Amino acid sequence: MLQSLQLLLAAGTALLPLVAAQADLVGTWSTKSHSVFTGPGFYDPVNEKMFEPQHPGISYSFTADGFYEEAYYRAISNPRRPQCPEGLIQWQHGTYQKLTNGSLVLTPFGVDGRQLLSSPCQYQQSILTRYTQPELYLRYSVYLDSYHNVQRLDLYQFNGAPMNAMYLAYSPPQMLPTQTLNPTSSAKATGSAATGTANAKRSFEGPEEFSEPLNKNALLPRKEPLNTDKWWWFGIGLTAVGSVGYFCF
């Protein structure tokens, strides 16, 4: 699957001319969970630590000069063993290009991507491995969300399926350095697949500090409407109690 997608991306890039990086993409975008953000609060490449967000979500960051970074945190249910859910954290960065047909091609630095799997029912500690996945998005759109009053990013996957909506959280983007962070002698800093797999056991960590996003108050839950039926029955109850008290006393 990975090799096929790489061939598809290579063919598309070769056939279609490229356009400059898009200014409307610049910034850090995050899904509505408002918990996952790219940058040092998600992954520490020096100490090989990944920090567990409070809630699952997705975050992408883009620069004006063609670099990107992404952060995923997924909670995986287990229907056969509901008491054994899993957590999956993925991080990678690299370069992006926009084709003239509107598609986005994301090419990761293959040696830098990391994946952390937490499966408490199988392993005492989380398992850290290398991770690299080139991505193709057929199209995207950036516009002002009328309800949240904040910029919104919609990405459409290679098969046209929409991803969860993301909202602008930081501008300029919050990212780690846009260069290879873990160079090796056997792998190049390109979007090709990692030449080796580094397995290590890690525990989820918490970030030392974290700055608040610009739209921290933008994504608030809707207020529930007043339940008039509940108050109507409440009034009936008070009336009944008053009537009983009148005749008894």
Side-chain angles (χ1 to χ4, degrees):
M1 176 63 182
L2 175 60
Q3 186 178 7
S4 300
L5 183 55
Q6 288 175 327
L7 292 175
L8 176 63
L9 294 180
T13 304
L15 293 175
L16 292 172
L18 305 175
V19 296
Q22 300 300 291
D24 56 354
L25 279 174
V26 175
T28 293
W29 307 81
S30 181
T31 51
K32 198 174 181 179
S33 68
H34 207 59
S35 294
V36 179
F37 304 96
T38 58
F42 188 84
Y43 173 52
D44 177 2
V46 176
N47 298 304
E48 291 280 3
K49 291 182 180 179
M50 304 190 82
F51 306 126
E52 181 184 11
Q54 291 184 343
H55 305 288
I58 304 170
S59 179
Y60 277 77
S61 287
F62 299 93
T63 68
D65 53 351
F67 292 95
Y68 84 98
E69 183 178 325
E70 66 180 67
Y72 279 70
Y73 176 37
R74 297 181 176 93
I76 306 172
S77 61
N78 189 337
R80 293 186 177 181
R81 302 178 65 188
Q83 72 278 14
C84 295
E86 296 180 343
L88 185 65
I89 290 182
Q90 295 170 326
W91 178 91
Q92 63 179 359
H93 70 159
T95 60
Y96 77 95
Q97 298 168 320
K98 182 178 180 180
L99 307 181
T100 54
N101 67 349
S103 298
L104 287 178
V105 177
L106 278 56
T107 305
F109 299 145
V111 297
D112 277 352
R114 293 294 185 269
Q115 175 177 282
L116 187 66
L117 173 65
S118 174
S119 184
C121 292
Q122 292 185 331
Y123 308 105
Q124 293 184 349
Q125 290 183 303
S126 302
I127 305 300
L128 181 69
T129 59
R130 277 188 181 163
Y131 169 79
T132 179
Q133 178 64 65
E135 297 172 74
L136 170 65
Y137 293 101
L138 288 185
R139 62 186 179 90
Y140 76 93
S141 59
V142 176
Y143 57 95
L144 181 66
D145 187 279
S146 59
Y147 179 76
H148 299 298
N149 195 33
V150 66
Q151 289 295 109
R152 170 172 168 166
L153 170 64
D154 293 336
L155 289 174
Y156 296 86
Q157 302 176 65
F158 68 95
N159 59 358
M163 292 185 61
N164 290 336
M166 287 179 278
Y167 302 88
L168 184 64
Y170 293 95
S171 183
Q174 176 179 270
M175 303 171 64
L176 290 168
T178 55
Q179 62 188 43
T180 303
L181 303 177
N182 294 285
T184 64
S185 58
S186 59
K188 297 181 179 179
T190 66
S192 59
T195 56
T197 300
N199 294 329
K201 291 187 176 180
R202 294 287 188 272
S203 297
F204 284 121
E205 301 285 350
E208 297 178 357
E209 60 181 46
F210 189 79
S211 56
E212 292 183 337
L214 299 176
N215 64 341
K216 66 175 183 177
N217 297 320
L219 306 181
L220 299 177
R222 293 176 179 267
K223 294 183 178 179
E224 294 295 331
L226 183 65
N227 191 333
T228 55
D229 290 338
K230 179 181 69 175
W231 289 106
W232 186 83
W233 284 109
F234 180 71
I236 293 296
L238 290 179
T239 302
V241 171
S243 300
V244 171
Y246 176 79
F247 287 107
C248 292
F249 300 100

